[in-house]
Structures are given as structure tokens and as C-alpha cells.
């Protein structure tokens, strides 16, 4: 099963100016087979995106919050620690 899901942001720390670009990346330390990724904000069920990267091209006021990456191998799911994104 996937484990050690890490999440990082560009710009670092998830502090991004209004209208700027935010890129979130997800990596898995361990796991076998093909993995699927999904992105969630504030505990919402509907994914913001799929794949190991999430790109927000023009960040708005409503984009701030806690983002999480989930990695799944089809059987089990591992989540990253939430990253707090702040729009400046």
C-alpha cells in the first residue's frame, strides 16, 4: 500500500500573492503498482484534480485553505499532511 505521502508547494510554504500561480506536488515514499492521485481542499470529497501535480494558474481569494493529496493503489488510500495555502 502507498505510504509516506508528502506534499510541497511552489512558492514554498503555500503563501502566494493574489493572481499568481501556485503549483502543488505530491510524492509517495513507498508503494507498489500504479498509483492514482487526487487533490482535495478543506476535507471536500470532490477532487480538485488528479495526478501528482495540481496547478492553480491565477489564485483567487477563495483558493486559500488546507490542501491534501491522496494516493491510492486501488485498494488502500494514503493522505498527505494538510498544507495551508494562504493568499496574500
Amino acid at each position: 500500500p502507498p505510504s509516506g505521502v508528502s506534499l510541497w508547494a511552489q512558492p514554498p510554504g503555500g503563501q502566494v500573492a493574489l493572481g499568481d500561480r501556485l503549483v502543488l506536488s505530491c510524492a509517495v515514499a513507498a508503494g507498489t503498482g500504479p498509483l492514482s492521485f487526487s487533490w482535495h481542499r478543506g476535507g471536500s470529497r470532490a477532487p480538485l484534480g488528479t495526478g501528482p501535480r495540481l496547478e492553480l494558474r491565477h489564485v483567487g481569494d477563495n483558493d486559500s485553505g488546507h490542501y491534501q493529496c491522496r494516493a491510492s493503489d486501488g485498494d488502500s488510500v494514503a493522505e498527505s499532511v494538510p498544507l495551508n495555502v494562504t493568499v496574500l
Side-chain angles (χ1 to χ4, degrees), residues 5-84:
V5 182
S6 57
L7 167 58
W8 70 96
Q10 187 64 38
Q15 294 202 335
V16 58
L18 188 67
D20 277 4
R21 187 176 74 134
L22 172 69
V23 178
L24 300 176
S25 301
C26 189
V28 178
T32 58
L35 293 174
S36 61
F37 295 92
S38 62
W39 294 91
H40 303 267
R41 185 179 75 212
S44 72
R45 289 188 167 278
L48 300 167
T50 55
R53 285 173 84 247
L54 178 70
E55 183 175 340
L56 304 177
R57 287 168 190 262
H58 301 284
V59 172
D61 284 324
N62 57 346
D63 287 321
S64 58
H66 289 87
Y67 286 75
Q68 256 186 323
C69 166
R70 291 182 190 160
S72 172
D73 63 1
D75 294 321
S76 58
V77 176
E79 295 187 344
S80 70
V81 173
L83 175 81
N84 189 26

